[in-house]
Amino acid sequence: MIEVVIDSVRVNLMSPQRLVVLREPNGERYLPIWVGPYEAEAITIALQEVEVSRPLTHDLIRNVLTSFNARILRIEIVSLRDDIFYGNIIVEQNGHEAGIDSRPSDAIALAVRAHVPILVHPDVMSAASIVPEKDLPETAASQPSKERSAAPPPVDESSERLDVYKDFLDKLDLNLDDKPNASPPDPQS
């Protein structure tokens, strides 16, 4: 199993989905996992150590396990089938280990609260992890590549595009105090 840490929790502004990004502490690979908004909030609250007045669901689960003398040892993301991740919460009670089937999002929320390791099966890391592109040298960046995403335009091109707005702003008559019913100038003129 490969140990990972939570790199970030990200928001997709176009949908209610959130993304938990796990990363190898001493490696280059990242593992993005889509989670629901409530699970993302539960993870974020625990990461930020925000005190809540009443226990959230993941706090309740931890409290129930503790009341039965069970200790969370680690969580594991064990497989990926049809783009769905599967996880386990590994607990120990009276010297016996047991795995509890769990969605990875819930398991991660528990791991943050219990301060236990998050482990990923090597097959899952191989299948679903990503490695960010390294900064390319200037000569390589100027050569087109099918594998690279579109890079932002050079500063000169951006500045040329912004000149249109600068010209428009320069033509604005901001002395509207003299003309109480005046409408703004037509940008096409």
Side-chain angles (χ1 to χ4, degrees):
M1 298 291 271
I2 299 165
E3 186 168 354
V4 295
V5 295
I6 299 171
D7 180 74
S8 59
V9 178
R10 301 183 181 217
V11 177
N12 179 348
L13 298 176
M14 302 304 285
S15 77
Q17 294 295 316
R18 306 293 187 261
L19 191 66
V20 173
V21 181
L22 305 174
R23 70 173 166 80
E24 290 179 295
N26 298 318
E28 298 179 330
R29 295 186 295 180
Y30 290 79
L31 182 65
I33 299 178
W34 290 102
V35 300
Y38 300 111
E39 293 80 3
E41 183 177 337
I43 293 167
T44 303
I45 285 172
L47 285 172
Q48 295 175 347
E49 299 179 357
V50 173
E51 291 293 324
V52 291
S53 60
R54 303 290 301 147
L56 299 175
T57 304
H58 301 95
D59 299 313
L60 175 64
I61 293 169
R62 186 193 61 202
N63 293 345
V64 167
L65 289 170
T66 301
S67 71
F68 286 104
N69 296 320
R71 185 172 58 100
I72 301 170
L73 299 176
R74 66 187 175 277
I75 69 111
E76 301 174 343
I77 300 171
V78 293
S79 67
L80 174 65
R81 293 185 302 250
D82 299 321
D83 294 330
I84 298 172
F85 291 92
Y86 292 83
N88 285 320
I89 302 164
I90 308 300
V91 298
E92 181 268 327
Q93 181 185 33
N94 299 329
H96 299 296
E97 278 189 23
I100 302 169
D101 183 31
S102 173
R103 296 183 306 175
S105 57
D106 292 323
I108 291 168
L110 275 172
V112 174
R113 285 165 171 73
H115 305 286
V116 298
I118 301 169
L119 303 175
V120 178
H121 193 280
D123 292 343
V124 174
M125 282 301 278
S126 295
S129 67
I130 58 172
V131 177
E133 289 184 14
K134 297 214 182 284
D135 290 336
L136 298 173
E138 190 69 31
T139 55
S142 63
Q143 298 173 356
S145 169
K146 291 180 184 177
E147 296 175 13
R148 287 193 1 225
S149 60
V155 176
D156 295 346
E157 286 181 26
S158 296
S159 142
E160 286 176 16
R161 281 193 238 164
L162 292 176
D163 284 344
V164 173
Y165 296 104
K166 183 181 178 310
D167 291 342
F168 171 73
L169 291 172
D170 288 342
K171 290 180 184 177
L172 284 177
D173 180 11
L174 298 178
N175 265 337
L176 296 178
D177 294 337
D178 299 336
K179 308 171 202 164
N181 292 325
S183 58
D186 182 11
Q188 301 296 328
S189 57

